[in-house]
Amino acid sequence: MLARPPLTRRLLHSLSNSGLLLPIGLIVIWQAADRATPRFLPNPADLIHVTIGLSAHGLLAQDLLASVVRMLCGFAAGATGGAIIGIALAASPRLHTLLGPAVSAWRQLPIFSLVPLLTLWFGLDEKAKIILIALATSIPVMLNAYEGVRAVPKKYTEVADMLHLNPLSRLLLLQAPAAMPFLLTGLRQGMAFAWMATVASELFLAAAPGLGAVIMAGQERMRPDMIIIGISLIGGVGILMNAALTGAIRWVLPAWRATDQQDNLS
Amino acid sequence: MIASSIKLAPASALHLVQGAQQGRGQAVRLVDVGKTYTISGRALPVLRDISLNINAGRFVTIVGASGCGKSTILRIIAGLEKDFTGSVRIGEQAVNGPSFDCGLVFQDHRLFPWLTVRQNVAMALRARKLPTEQRNALVSAHLDLVRLNGFEDAYPHQLSGGMAQRAAIARGLVNEPSVLLLDEPLGAVDALTRLHLQRELQRIWMTKGTTMIMVTHDIEEALLLGDQVVILQPRPGPAQQIIDVNLPHPRSGDENTLLALRKKIFATLHVGDEDETKTGGGSTATRQPP
């Protein structure tokens, strides 16, 4: 029997394997080097203290919830719209001729350049924010949905031809399912874009609770601790949402993947 | 006529479902059919002056070397190829696109991976305005016909190659087409499954009475199943040869007639003296690799 390695080494080993060694190590060094840190960099222990203080009043939770809800509203609208437009463009050659050039010009436009216009039209409130988030989400979703439908293998479209599937059956039974892996990739990118746009909209168009507003308040009150807490929460939420979506994709896709492997073999 | 000697199986549930004349085979007639592909600006003829008369309810097999255009013939009859010369008729109807008269089974099963076996077969009936009950009965009857009972709810990736091909055959037949085209349907399954499915195809054809046209590169398979074997030459041209197989179905495959015909076909295709024809009389031993 081999002797079990000491606990500390096992702990270190599992930390480095999970990729947590670097961040945790940095936090430890950060805390240890407290005296040497500049004036506007609070140490981790202070941050935890402040976080608990802010949460006690329910403020952070309110901001977190406001941002997530905002993001989900914009994401839902943008993903639905993007998927519909992408699929329609790919399925209808006529629509593609009509809208194709406009769409490719639109996708090149940096979305945040629209902020001033959106503010003029919709003011500083929720409407403008959600529209910005939806627009940001829609572009990657639309492009991937389009690619997915275009990439439907000819061997399947020939089957649909032989069976006289009408456009609706074709969409439901062939194009949408075949485009699913692409669509899910688009949703993942779209969610990253949505979260980015959520924070940006809160920075540009404050005047409502949100994690972006927490950061802005921190800047105004010269409170770097608030800014760092805001950033950490934004990063954490992003990681969690991406993990959730990736998990959902893994759960949905096995049937598709099994087919690909089969096709590669034959 | 050979067709007259074929005994059809007694009326089964299939015929009760389909009612009147549906599912009965129709004749297929090709007159001077030609097809030229254009590959990077150059015309590449694959078929020229192909004329075939296929009587209703028969099983015709087409053999030939790869690249001789045999799959293209099926694709033309199926209506999947738009630009071809000559004329193709199924019954009285000229072919100018896919039609319900004609089913096609591909070499790769082409089942939709996200649909179950039952859904894949039922999909073929979507374009028909049928009452749900009748639709379900047709699907079940054809899954029974290809002996996939118990696998209705399996997904294609859960099936073996042979079972997936059975499902594809059910999908091709469920519309009760008068002609079923089979494009090397057994080309991708293993040897034992292949032998088994050949007998199954024979049984299915005898049950349904559909006109079947099958492309294969397996001469034994062509002889076992075909009332007629059409041999296409490697170079495009009208020089196809048709061999009648005057032997009643069901056949076992080891009948003397079939063995004799096999020899004859091998001779037609120059199997054995192939090297000499290719190299203009040069000896195989001294031939350099190209």
Side-chain angles (χ1 to χ4, degrees):
Chain A
M1 271 285 284
L2 283 169
R4 278 160 71 91
L7 181 70
T8 44
R9 188 184 296 173
R10 270 188 291 147
L11 208 63
L12 214 63
H13 191 70
S14 63
L15 273 180
S16 69
N17 273 351
S18 59
L20 288 173
L21 189 61
L22 183 68
I24 291 182
L26 281 177
I27 291 174
V28 169
I29 293 169
W30 179 5
Q31 179 69 37
D34 179 34
R35 304 269 160 74
T37 50
R39 211 180 112 223
F40 283 122
L41 186 57
N43 70 41
D46 290 345
L47 287 177
I48 292 169
H49 190 71
V50 174
T51 311
I52 293 167
L54 287 174
S55 322
H57 298 94
L59 280 176
L60 273 186
Q62 191 194 338
D63 289 311
L64 184 70
L65 190 68
S67 287
V68 170
V69 168
R70 191 172 286 143
M71 190 281 268
L72 289 177
C73 288
F75 175 76
T80 312
I84 290 173
I85 296 171
I87 290 173
L89 278 178
S92 155
R94 197 179 300 167
L95 211 58
H96 186 256
T97 328
L98 198 67
L99 298 178
V103 168
S104 29
W106 166 250
R107 57 181 273 210
Q108 300 302 331
L109 185 75
I111 200 77
F112 297 128
S113 65
L114 294 174
V115 170
L117 202 55
L118 290 177
T119 320
L120 282 180
W121 286 347
F122 304 106
L124 291 171
D125 61 0
E126 282 304 288
K127 214 189 288 171
K129 287 179 186 145
I130 287 174
I131 288 173
L132 184 72
I133 298 164
L135 288 176
T137 310
S138 67
I139 289 173
V141 175
M142 177 186 73
L143 293 179
N144 280 284
Y146 176 79
E147 285 303 322
V149 173
R150 297 282 287 204
V152 175
K154 195 180 166 215
K155 61 176 191 172
Y156 294 141
T157 56
E158 283 185 351
V159 171
D161 290 343
M162 285 306 297
L163 302 180
H164 296 259
L165 292 188
N166 64 25
L168 183 65
S169 304
R170 203 176 270 258
L171 179 70
L172 295 178
L173 295 177
L174 176 57
Q175 288 161 333
M180 195 57 81
F182 289 81
L183 199 59
L184 292 175
T185 305
L187 288 181
R188 247 177 86 176
Q189 289 173 10
M191 183 159 270
F193 274 52
W195 192 226
M196 204 177 352
T198 305
V199 175
S201 75
E202 290 165 358
L203 295 180
F204 289 131
L205 323 160
L211 292 175
V214 171
I215 294 179
M216 289 305 279
Q219 189 197 356
E220 278 158 23
R221 295 182 215 159
M222 304 233 269
R223 289 277 306 273
D225 48 354
M226 279 178 70
I227 300 179
I228 293 172
I229 289 166
I231 293 173
S232 310
L233 284 174
I234 289 167
V237 170
I239 290 170
L240 280 181
M241 286 191 304
N242 186 50
L245 204 58
T246 309
I249 291 172
R250 288 231 181 89
W251 181 66
V252 170
L253 278 188
W256 274 254
R257 232 176 252 135
T259 332
D260 285 347
Q261 281 159 8
Q262 218 171 39
D263 285 353
N264 291 341
L265 287 178
S266 64
Chain B
M1 284 294 288
I2 315 145
S4 57
S5 64
I6 296 160
K7 286 208 184 73
L8 287 169
S12 64
L14 297 169
H15 300 300
L16 297 179
V17 172
Q18 78 207 15
Q21 283 297 306
Q22 272 187 326
R24 291 275 144 245
Q26 285 201 66
V28 178
R29 182 172 300 238
L30 283 75
V31 181
D32 295 333
V33 169
K35 169 81 189 170
T36 302
Y37 286 112
T38 310
I39 293 168
S40 52
R42 284 180 54 193
L44 185 76
V46 283
L47 289 177
R48 197 185 298 156
D49 301 334
I50 298 288
S51 295
L52 282 176
N53 263 326
I54 294 166
N55 290 339
R58 295 195 112 187
F59 203 130
V60 172
T61 50
I62 303 177
V63 293
S66 33
C68 71
K70 48 193 196 302
S71 292
T72 309
I73 294 184
L74 289 196
R75 293 176 57 84
I76 288 174
I77 301 172
L80 286 177
E81 297 287 343
K82 294 291 182 295
D83 303 310
F84 62 91
T85 56
S87 78
V88 179
R89 286 177 182 278
I90 295 175
E92 296 304 308
Q93 199 70 35
V95 170
N96 53 8
S99 82
F100 287 123
D101 282 337
C102 199
L104 176 56
V105 178
F106 300 90
Q107 178 174 358
D108 46 339
H109 55 76
R110 302 198 185 187
L111 300 171
F112 289 3
W114 41 83
L115 301 180
T116 62
V117 167
R118 175 179 288 282
Q119 290 167 336
N120 263 292
V121 176
M123 175 177 70
L125 293 172
R126 270 188 80 105
R128 307 279 295 269
K129 303 278 173 268
L130 292 178
T132 318
E133 270 170 46
Q134 194 182 351
R135 186 182 299 182
N136 291 342
L138 273 170
V139 172
S140 298
H142 284 86
L143 285 173
D144 285 348
L145 178 72
V146 298
R147 301 196 166 141
L148 273 181
N149 337 47
F151 293 93
E152 294 90 345
D153 298 320
Y155 284 90
H157 73 271
Q158 297 168 318
L159 302 177
S160 69
M163 286 160 73
Q165 207 52 272
R166 285 165 186 268
I169 292 169
R171 182 179 64 186
L173 282 171
V174 73
N175 254 322
E176 316 265 37
S178 48
V179 179
L180 184 69
L181 308 169
L182 302 133
D183 188 1
E184 298 198 42
L186 311 182
V189 298
D190 64 88
L192 272 178
T193 311
R194 192 184 175 103
L195 288 177
H196 187 61
L197 282 182
Q198 285 167 358
R199 272 79 190 163
E200 288 286 281
L201 261 178
Q202 182 169 234
R203 176 183 63 79
I204 290 166
W205 171 69
M206 291 172 73
T207 313
K208 298 284 289 181
T210 311
T211 309
M212 290 200 185
I213 307 174
M214 174 159 120
V215 156
T216 174
H217 54 252
D218 181 337
I219 289 164
E220 273 130 27
E221 181 172 291
L223 284 168
L224 171 73
L225 293 169
D227 294 321
Q228 287 182 317
V229 180
V230 179
I231 303 167
L232 287 186
Q233 297 301 322
R235 270 163 255 94
Q240 83 266 21
Q241 196 181 340
I242 296 172
I243 291 183
D244 286 303
V245 186
N246 293 305
L247 200 66
H249 288 269
R251 303 170 184 162
S252 69
D254 49 14
E255 288 89 348
N256 283 331
T257 324
L258 296 186
L259 298 180
L261 284 172
R262 196 182 77 143
K263 259 185 202 158
K264 188 174 159 191
I265 294 177
F266 276 5
T268 314
L269 292 170
H270 305 291
V271 178
D273 55 15
E274 195 174 3
D275 290 319
E276 277 155 289
T277 54
K278 271 188 185 163
T279 54
S283 132
T284 321
T286 56
R287 195 161 65 111
Q288 295 297 313

